Amino acid sequence: MMEEGKEMCFECLERRIKLDWSDQLQFCYGISDSPLPFGSSAVVQFSPTNPSAPPSQFILSYLPTHTHHCFSKYINQCTLPNGEETEMGSESGTGSTCLSDSLMGYECCACNHCGKFSSLRTITALAPLAHVGISYCSTFQELASSFLSGTLEDHIVSSLNLLVQGKAAGRDGVNYLHLLGVPSFDENSIPGCLRHPNIAPVLGLLKTHDYINLLLPKTPYNLENILHYSSTALKSDWHMRFLMYQLLSALTYLHGLGVFHGNLCPSNVMLTDSGWAWLRIWDSTMLGFNLCFKHGKSNNSCIPSKVGCCIEDCLSQGLYADLKLSPPLDWNSQFNRWWRGELSNFEYLLFLNKLVGRRWGDHTFHPVMPWVIDFSTKPSENSDSGWRDLSKSKWRLAKGDEQLDFTYSTSEVPHHVSDECLSELAVCSYKARRLPLSVLRMAVRSVYEPNEYPSTMQRLYQWTPDECIPEFYCDPRIFYSQHSGMTDLAVPSWAGTPEEFIKLHRKALESNRVSRQIHHWIDINFGFKMSGPAAVAAKNVMLSSSEPTKPRSIGRRQLFTKPHPTRQVVIQEARDSTKESVVGRDQAHKIDNEKSFVYKTSCLQELEEASIFSEHARHLSPLYFHDQENLMKQSSYFKETQSKNLEKSAPNPHDISNYFGFLSDVDLNYLLEHIDIQDEDSTGYQELLLWRQKSCLSKTSSKEVGEDIFSVGCLLAELYLRKPLFCSSSLATYLEGGVFPALMQELPSHVKVLVEACIEKDWTRRPSAKSLLESPFFPSTVKSVYLFTAPLQILATDGSRLQYAANFAKQGALKTMGTLAAEMCAPYCLPLASTPLSDAEAESAYILLKEFIKCLTPKSVKALVLPVIQKILQASYSHLKVSLLQDSFVREIWNQIGKQTYLETIHPSVISNLYISPHKSSAAAASVLLICSSEELGVPITVHQTILPLIHCFGKGLCPDGIDVLVRIGGLLGETFILKQMLPLLKHVAHSCIDVSSMNKPEPMHSWSSSALVDCLMTLDGLVAFLPREAIVKDLIEDKRCVHALVLMQTNLEITVLQVAATTLMAICQRIGPEFTALHVLPQLKVLFDELAFSQEGFNGSKSLGKSLKASKSKVDGEFQIESRMDLVLLLYPSFCSLLGIEKLRQCCTTWLLLEQFLLRFHNWKSEYTGETSRSGLENVVAKVPLLSKGPTSDYSPAKLLLNGVGWSIPQSQGIRSSKNLMPQRRLANAHQSSVQTHESASNHIKSEPWFWFPVPAASWDGSDLLGRFGGPKDEFPWKIRASVLSSVHAHQGALRSLAVCQDENTVFTAGIGPGFKGTVQKWDLARINCVSGYYGHEEVVNDICILSMSGRIASCDGTVHVWDSQSGKLITVFSEPSMDSLHLVSPSAYSTKISADHVDMSNSNKSSSGVLGSPFDESLYTCMHYLELVEKLMVGTGNGSLRFIDVSQGRKLHLWKGEFSESAFPSLVSAICSCGSDKERGNGASASPSWIAAGLSSGHCRLFDVRSGCVIACWRAHDGYVTKLAAPEDHLLVSSSLDRTLKIWDLRRNLPTPVTFKGHTDGVSSFSVWRQDVISISKNKIGLSSLARSADEDEQHRIIPQKLYTSDHGGRNMSVLSSISIIPFSRLFLVGTEDGYLRICC
């Protein structure tokens, strides 16, 4: 039996779902509109049959059936008597109507639906995808599978895809575009069978004997979640407009069907993963389309006599019977009832839990209650023992103040609490005895151990740092275990049974003692002690989210910002107890009279406080419509006359073409014209006012529609205010007197116009949804993005949607709509490209990525496209990955974002395709890309970012293509590069591996060293082919430096390593010829031959050598394999005999007789067989590649085939040398130069080689760098700064004031003093250290220089700012403050791009100390610059402490920020500028606009500006002298230097910035440069090294140890005063400028 007006409890709902659907569905949690666990809907989880597929969640609602209800009649009629079922939507894919003739004329006589169309046609239009039928277990699986497969609406995307390709598309595509407003939105269209993209899809309407099941997909968030827990997820004004545009589009469709929503609020706006909005219209109260009963009251009006489950025999029937929670559940009424004592603490706390969004049954966000006793003794009002202190959080009581203070002071992000007040672990532990074991294994521990769960309440309280749950106050069943092995939870001794304990525990919660303190607990968990100084004082600072802009469905919501008032009933009872304690009535009456005024005053004060508190929290009772009662009454949507007129004018229902306004003129050109954005339009206030006047002329069709529009206005206001516009009191005030809420004044002006129009008191004057869509409030970018992205939200396969997006983009859609619209489309499109793809889909993904790279700004490419490319490159093999590894694609990335960003984000992913079991095709493509890009990247970057990471992969699964990369880069960059860079590195690796093999290390380390040694030897073998034999002998063999011989001498290496060493050594001997072999190689093998000759293993008949000749010469895959160390005799001796001849070999090997006897005895080898047989054996040994690694000497190489067969060209700068070196060929012995000729040639050309100054990395390389690293190349390598000057050039006549390095790290600009003491700027090529051009238009000394992104423009400052072209050297524009406009006017054509001879020979000019401005400075002159790359604006400091913003691209000055001068009597000049995260390396491609800007002043002060407002956030005295430099390596860090000889790091997250001060310089710090954790500072002629890691000495002092730079060739010290510094990060170098005009390259 079921009771009218009640809903099921969640336990009954769970049992009902299990009964109806067996174990196929897992009940997750119930959905309730009340604070209690009662409802008719639940979130259920479906586990697909494929175990690899993740489980999916759905919303399952149980709606009661009523015989005369049109909705029930519709279900009954669609469910045929014989059990057959029908589909609402079309299955044919043509979009034709699915309604039969009998259903066309169906009318309902039991409900109020008598509007435009019949209820059946309306239901079909609202749920065209729904399967209507009987509830079967198999039905849900079919529906869920079809939804997850994405085939429900695939035919629509296919039709649209044909349309954008200009092919015949059929009706579906055009009809769908009609829903999107193409050519315009229509409120009079006839319903069809296509789902509107912004209406939540109904997957099934399934009938049981007493319910109708509604099945909907569950989205991860709704708008209410976003507003409560992550409001920053609505990133911008544009995103809020786009969200409202989607909702209005859905409303326009509903209103066109004659349907009003009636409950438009944030909780009914569902949001998908991509942020797309679905309007939920299937609500249990309104049923989505005003199909309410005509007779009797609605469900909401049937208030049950007591709270309980609708199932009469429910076990929880009496648990909540005493509760008084009843509608309306608004904040003001519930707070007042509680404050007056009419509502219990338990009920009030449940209500607060509902306000913060906590859900019964959701273990991750379960309702929370306070622990009020510690269970040590029975609680008593007259005793203090046994009560918990509610003024402190449970976390604080469990951890202690000392630990929390330590955590707060030492954490990088200051916090006390790292988890929620109630975690999933705690909830599941509390309810362990009632939860399934599968849930416990998932949430608590994977191995079920019943004894690990607390067995008593006291132990449970002591164990947990979390708060309590409501069940311990109302449900005794939680104590009884249903698991074998787990005992019941024991209650305290003072409570005999769980039922008695529940009563006593609840009584304690409602006691006066708790009521006097409960407001403190509310403040901590729901109120003002959750943030700000109050949270710090209460030790309740929560660890903030690392991703504040990420949407969340659960989180912390602070309800109150003021202290919660004490409950009034406590004061009243205290007064009563005081009166009763006085002896005698007369005395009590006398006291009452004397203190009556005091009591009344006290009550009035309490009442006033409560009233103020209630007013400040009025946002907790939001209202989105003002005529809710009338909405629940039975009313028609349109007047009967209007309905009749519509029916008369309606076309023939049997003419199918009339159901779809087929527009023959909608084609690709029409769509491109529709999304074309002529110019970036911004909403004009005047245009909005004009629209407002026109919208008043069009009346809203009905009052109910007007209510929807009213809700739209409330939603729009809440999006911008982050709080509701109306509560009950403010709405009443507005309706009575027309007074807008005060919050209206906080709205932006353009939003205010729209909100005022929507909430007009006269509903007839409110604009329609269509009118709102067409208003100027929505710019053309919003409409274009909506048209492009809406088809991507169709329930279709990823492949179909990807193909549509790629084809539409390929036709020019992204380019047509502009960069902003393309940026907004990217989050909806790019995830489709990152999923596993077939080869056919990969082509579409490739096209889509290329189109976005072309159309997006560099900032957007970094933030949106690069993460997708990284994910693809790091995933398993796909055809798309190979396409992305092509040179043409990478060059597009370079051109758009620069090489530095490529190196940060993409390059490590490219290298990752060469190790740990890579796919052949992707490895080949990656290798070709690395080879062909190496020369353009330059030697320093290639060495540090390609060669070293690959060498670090030795022994870790590096594939043959990885070795091929090393070999071919060596051949491409030439002989000098191999000899100077690669051979020292490889020999270093070999020696390190040999050292490891001789140590007592674990077996994995030995195995790794053997594999690494094989990779190293194979790389050497490939590089030898590019070297003349004299160079091989000199650098690889002579002076007992032969690595191969050293390997062969090791007795503890694996046999495979020895075989590789022997075969590669013989290849080298073949290369250098018999003379050099006899002279340099054989002497180093003497010890080895002696050892083998006298080995007991060989002559005592070991098992391995005592086998037959066939066995000892075993081959695997045609390759000779040795089995023991003695087999080296067979591998080496015959080969040397063949190369040198037997006589020469015997002269060099003193133990020849023993070795030949061994070969004769065991292998039947004789010296007379050294002819063809030996040569053949030698060829087999030398020419074949060892089995372990088929290296680059093999004829087959995928990279080689790609390089030579797919159109790759050799870089022109290498000329003939590169083309020869690219393919390694063995040189003949008689075709080489003499040693003298070779060395002469090398000495003549050494200075002409690019990067001749670059040092050998092995010189500063420690063996531990290789041995200690088992990760991949993405792990960061330590940078060991040697303070060595590699090269110097005299760049300027006077001081070199500023340096700026281009992103490619090959070009640097220097600014300094030139001829006539004028400022000059030089452009330098670092490869050859020569000046290629310059700019000579400055009349004064240039004090700063700035590279303006990748535009090729340079800004240089000499008091004015000159912007000029870096290629031509021509002036573009000059910026100056007003007083300087008449000065320094120059002609752009007056400057030459070449350097005259006398520029170099001029005498030294006067030098200014430290390179800072020390003389009096004009306040109107510019002093320093900083480029805001993400917003593409130049920011300059002035002499009066102000900041000027300049739009360089538009050539105009923007706003001016003036600082406060309170820190000194006169204004200070701005000496340094930086912005939030400007020096931060964004390896993940993410980028965000800066939130603050810092300015350093000559007075030593620092100012922090808010970017949005320009207001000064903070100003403090940072130094005792001139601030010389600022940098922001992290969003919360600021690094500053000063002439006061200190370097300071400021943590801006703290209220008062507290620095970490580095001391040690004896002179002022003139500048510094930051890269990751390293900071290099300069002071006079010394540099200082420090780290952001804040390592301190034993006395807690942070010190810098200054050191002088020294010259690498002769060790001389640098005595020049250093003026500027810049790090070249990926080359592991840094540049310094000096006061005498030198540019020095250092490492």
Side-chain angles (χ1 to χ4, degrees), residues 426-631:
V427 174
C428 293
S429 299
Y430 296 164
K431 302 171 65 176
R433 286 150 182 83
R434 308 300 298 174
L435 293 177
L437 294 181
S438 58
V439 176
L440 296 181
R441 291 190 182 100
M442 184 76 67
V444 181
R445 187 180 174 185
S446 57
V447 179
Y448 170 64
E449 291 289 345
N451 294 329
E452 292 186 355
Y453 294 87
S455 58
T456 67
M457 284 299 297
Q458 187 171 3
R459 288 190 59 187
L460 185 67
Y461 174 82
Q462 294 170 348
W463 164 79
T464 179
D466 291 13
E467 294 290 354
C468 187
I469 58 176
E471 286 84 341
F472 283 123
Y473 291 99
C474 65
D475 191 356
R477 294 174 300 171
I478 196 172
F479 292 89
Y480 297 105
S481 175
Q482 62 183 9
H483 307 306
S484 60
M486 182 183 290
T487 60
D488 292 344
L489 183 61
V491 298
S493 58
W494 41 264
T497 64
E499 289 77 10
E500 183 181 355
F501 171 79
I502 290 294
K503 293 179 181 178
L504 294 173
H505 201 204
R506 177 72 174 277
K507 182 179 179 181
L509 177 63
E510 306 300 338
S511 66
N512 288 335
R513 179 181 290 270
V514 171
S515 295
R516 283 195 295 268
Q517 293 189 19
I518 194 65
H519 62 282
H520 295 303
W521 187 88
I522 294 173
D523 288 337
I524 292 171
N525 293 281
F526 302 118
F528 82 110
K529 290 183 181 179
M530 294 178 67
S531 62
V536 178
K539 305 187 190 308
N540 193 43
V541 177
M542 181 75 177
L543 180 63
S544 58
S545 172
S546 58
E547 298 178 288
T549 60
K550 183 179 180 179
R552 297 190 298 274
S553 60
I554 60 175
R556 293 188 115 199
R557 184 190 182 196
Q558 183 175 341
L559 299 179
F560 315 116
T561 56
K562 292 184 178 181
H564 196 285
T566 310
R567 198 176 184 188
Q568 184 195 32
V569 68
V570 176
I571 302 172
Q572 182 65 33
E573 290 179 358
R575 186 182 70 172
D576 294 342
S577 62
T578 303
K579 290 168 60 177
E580 292 173 3
S581 65
V582 180
V583 181
R585 290 187 176 181
D586 294 337
Q587 288 182 316
H589 182 69
K590 182 178 179 182
I591 292 175
D592 189 44
N593 289 334
E594 291 175 353
K595 297 186 177 181
S596 60
F597 178 76
V598 177
Y599 286 134
K600 291 179 180 178
T601 303
S602 176
C603 289
L604 288 175
Q605 290 176 348
E606 294 293 334
L607 179 61
E608 183 179 4
E609 291 177 6
S611 177
I612 294 174
F613 179 78
S614 178
E615 177 65 21
H616 117 276
R618 64 183 181 85
H619 63 278
L620 300 177
S621 300
L623 288 179
Y624 301 94
F625 36 82
H626 65 74
D627 202 10
Q628 187 172 6
E629 291 184 4
N630 188 48
L631 286 177

Side-chain angles (χ1 to χ4, degrees), residues 1148-1183:
C1148 297
C1149 181
T1150 57
T1151 57
W1152 62 270
L1153 182 59
L1154 294 175
L1155 295 175
E1156 290 184 11
Q1157 288 177 353
F1158 168 78
L1159 292 173
L1160 178 62
R1161 178 180 176 183
F1162 292 102
H1163 301 287
N1164 197 26
W1165 182 89
K1166 295 182 180 180
S1167 60
E1168 58 267 26
Y1169 298 130
T1170 58
E1172 292 300 322
T1173 304
S1174 295
R1175 288 193 182 95
S1176 177
L1178 177 64
E1179 290 171 0
N1180 285 337
V1181 171
V1182 174

Side-chain angles (χ1 to χ4, degrees), residues 1518-1519 1529 1533-1547 1554-1568 1570 1572-1579 1583-1593 1596-1602:
H1519 293 274
L1533 289 183
L1534 178 66
V1535 184
S1536 63
S1537 64
S1538 170
L1539 295 184
D1540 66 358
R1541 300 178 293 183
T1542 63
L1543 181 78
K1544 296 184 178 181
I1545 302 173
W1546 306 85
D1547 189 343
T1554 54
V1556 175
T1557 303
F1558 288 87
K1559 298 181 179 180
H1561 283 298
T1562 56
D1563 294 279
V1565 182
S1566 54
S1567 187
F1568 66 87
V1570 182
R1572 293 185 179 166
Q1573 295 295 310
D1574 297 306
V1575 182
I1576 308 178
S1577 53
I1578 56 175
S1579 174
I1583 68 168
L1585 307 180
S1586 51
S1587 174
L1588 297 177
R1590 306 178 183 178
S1591 56
D1593 296 337
E1596 297 299 324
Q1597 295 294 320
H1598 299 266
R1599 292 189 175 91
I1600 297 175
I1601 302 177

Side-chain angles (χ1 to χ4, degrees), residues 43 52 70 75 104 552 682 1059 1171 1173 1224 1259 1346 1399 1574 1589 1639:
V43 174
S52 61
C70 66
I75 300 297
M104 281 285 193
R552 297 190 298 274
S682 58
Q1059 178 168 357
T1173 304
C1346 195
H1399 285 165
D1574 297 306
L1639 171 66

